[in-house]
Amino acid sequence: MTAGAHTETGRGVAVDVQSVSHAYSIEGAPLPVLDNISLRVEPGEFVSCLGPSGCGKSTLLRLLAGLETPSRGSLLSGSARITGPHPSRILAFQDATLFPWATVWQNVAAGPTARNELRGSRQRIDEAIAQVGLSGFERAYPHQLSGGMAQRAALARALVNDPSVLLLDEPFGKLDSFTRMALQDDLRALWEEKRFTGILVTHDVEEAILLSERVLVFSDRPARLLREFRIDLGNDRERTSRKVVKLRGEILSALNLGHRGKKREAA
Amino acid sequence: MSSAVADVETGAALSVARRAEAFWNTGLLAGLAWLATALVTYVLPDVVPWGSTMLFAVLCAAVALALLALVPGIRLLPQRIAAKLRHYGPWLLALGLWLLFWEFTTAKTGWLPKPFFSPPQGLIQVYVADGQRLLICIAYTARLWLLGFFSGIAVGYVIGLALGWSRSFAYWGMPLLKLIGPVPASAWIPVTFYFFPSTFQASIFIVALSCGIPVAILTASGVGAINKAYYEVARTMGAGTSYLIRHIAIPASLPHVFVGLFMGLYYSFAVLVVAEMLGAKYGLGWYIQFQTAYSAYANVYATLVIMALICAGLVKALFTVRGRLLRWQQGFIA
Ligand SMILES: Nc1ncnc2c1ncn2[C@@H]1O[C@H](COP(=O)(O)OP(=O)(O)OP(=O)(O)O)[C@@H](O)[C@H]1O
Ligand SMILES: [Mg+2]
């Protein structure tokens, strides 16, 4: 894929989260969601975030996307402070929020269209659609797609912008396990090709292990960073390998501590 | 009769099936009903003279003969037309029975008397005797309606978009719109007389207002109901305000807008009589008032039939446009 027309894209950049706390206000009462979080993601690194439901993972991604400003602390992309949305940082939302009134092609073209770059991007759009295996469905509307195809389309819509930071919020959460496994492999391959900086939120421990080089475990709300696991698997990313199974056990028990003993189906 | 009912239920399936029934049984019943109407009209004397009685009898007989010929002949028609006919068979039967009942209770027995009621031939007589004037009225009303409706929905749509998009616009505009909305059209007459140089423009304004208000309200609510995540998706990809309005607010609100357009279409027709009170010299609304004043109710009914048919045609056209523009919605088959 050719480089994006806009600057600051392509190869991944570092992401820094510096002492970030965030609180929403619900009917006047503050609801603390993130508690003094500091972390750094290296350029081109892929990191997964695990944590109990409602702990604030999506909130962290929204802060990184620039859709929200933190109550305290600061976030950096490269050396620049994040103050608002920028096409170099693309967030793929928890629900595949494809525009139902637009065809697959028009959905994928949304970014270039929005930036008035459609003219030079047609080929890039076709390529992105081909990359996620949706060739032939360019003219389909979202309601004509299966759940997995919709997620693929959403992925293509993100990738076509050639982001240097890709923020993924449970992209495969609602899929059956076979589709999910296939898409996980695809995502891994795409990342290996492009080396964007990836931050993935998921509830699937196996997915986190297989896709990332580092797994971050967060506590219950307000989320603190509890532990991080380095995944040194190299290219040996077999679901059934002994290393993966062992890591899975360790991460699950860390998660369970984070749940303060609450039982939870995490895998 | 029971076989006809069975036909209705299985009609759709049969029309698709390759082994569609050879004879059109519903058509036979419908043909007999129309034939009965023709005979009753021809044989029994009218209580009072209406004119056009023979014409009505001949028309009914012609329909009856066509239907009866189609009972075996439906096989020869193209598939699509035959399926349509089968689909509307029960309606053709009901229509024949209704005409029979109508003819019998008005012209033949006088149970429903003149001038409050008119038999079918009374309406036909109006078209025969006053057809020319009615055509001119249709043209005048068409001009008024086209100008009023299209300017009304254009302005209403723009106001609705602004109300849905801008908080401050909604703060001032929404209460005003809610106050203005329920004011009956006739209450605007004195004001419009003062502000508009000609009565024709005042009439246009009244039609425009009647359809502009529902379009504005529904557009505003449509824009307000849009999932905010769509805007966020676009903003993360570098979208500015113009993209958000053109590519999200406008298409996403379209289903609501069409509800407003349907309401506006009906309201604009309902208000025609009032709009043509303002010194119009021709027009269907004007004609209705004029004939009401003379208790010529047959003319009123005849005009109402014309208006209903035109309105139904416009509703159908609007449905077609909606089908085109909203084929992205679930449940629409392109
Ligand atoms: N816009 C908002 N206004 C107020 N409270 C919010 C808002 N968005 C999220 N919250 C609250 O913040 C908390 C964290 O939400 P968040 O969506 O970040 O959780 P999450 O970790 O992504 O959960 P899940 O795994 O279920 O998706 C929740 O308790 C939620 O109710
Ligand atoms: Mg979430």
Side-chain angles (χ1 to χ4, degrees), chain A residues 24 26 31 33 52-59 94 170 203 221:
Chain A
Y24 287 112
I26 290 185
L31 176 80
V33 177
S53 181
C55 76
K57 302 179 298 297
S58 296
T59 305
Q94 192 159 351
E170 297 185 40
H203 283 296
R221 191 184 62 236

Side-chain angles (χ1 to χ4, degrees), chain A residues 12 14 25 27 71-72 75 89 112-114 136 205 213 215 236 265:
Chain A
S25 89
E27 313 219 350
S71 314
R72 261 193 296 130
L75 302 106
R89 280 173 278 114
T113 311
V205 178
E213 289 143 301
V215 173
D236 174 33
E265 171 69 68

